[in-house]
Amino acid sequence: MARNSIDPIDLFGMALVAIFGPMAIGVVAFKITVFGGFSFTDILWSGSGVEITYATVLALIGVGWIVLANFIVGDWDIDELEWYHTAAIVVALGIVPVYAVVPAVQNVFSDYGAIALVVAIVQTGFGPLLSWEG
């Protein structure tokens, strides 16, 4: 599409990242109490200290949507990416898996809510940044 504008194709991914990213790192919780209750922070799979939730999967789908859409549409070319594009993509894709896999990060986020909130805000800002720069 165009640089210095938010592409409509990225809006779906931005919504997923903004809603489920903070849930995936334990900052926000959303529970539906109809039909026996459902929470996006329910664990899908766990083992060896790793816990994968619905929010984790949906947040990663959102970031993946933005990145793949910009590559497929032709907004980005791997050879023309600036260093800050690459850094933003790596951090946006890495926040949730690092939280899910590294128990020390989970402990820091649970002990220091301000750090988790700042990381959630930064993560939510990656969607519009990546779309704008695309």
Side-chain angles (χ1 to χ4, degrees), residues 18-71:
I19 294 169
F20 296 109
M23 279 187 213
I25 61 173
V27 174
V28 176
F30 179 70
K31 183 174 184 175
I32 299 171
T33 58
V34 180
F35 305 117
F38 174 80
S39 176
F40 289 104
T41 56
D42 288 343
I43 298 171
L44 282 171
W45 180 83
S46 69
S48 301
V50 177
E51 293 181 350
I52 306 298
T53 65
Y54 293 104
T56 302
V57 172
L58 290 169
L60 289 176
I61 288 171
V63 174
W65 178 279
I66 295 168
V67 172
L68 289 176
N70 281 300
F71 277 118

Side-chain angles (χ1 to χ4, degrees), residues 93-125:
L93 287 172
I95 288 173
V96 173
V98 166
Y99 176 81
V101 173
V102 181
V105 173
Q106 295 172 4
N107 291 338
V108 168
F109 282 14
S110 66
D111 291 343
Y112 303 101
I115 293 173
L117 179 62
V118 168
V119 170
I121 291 169
V122 167
Q123 179 187 25
T124 301

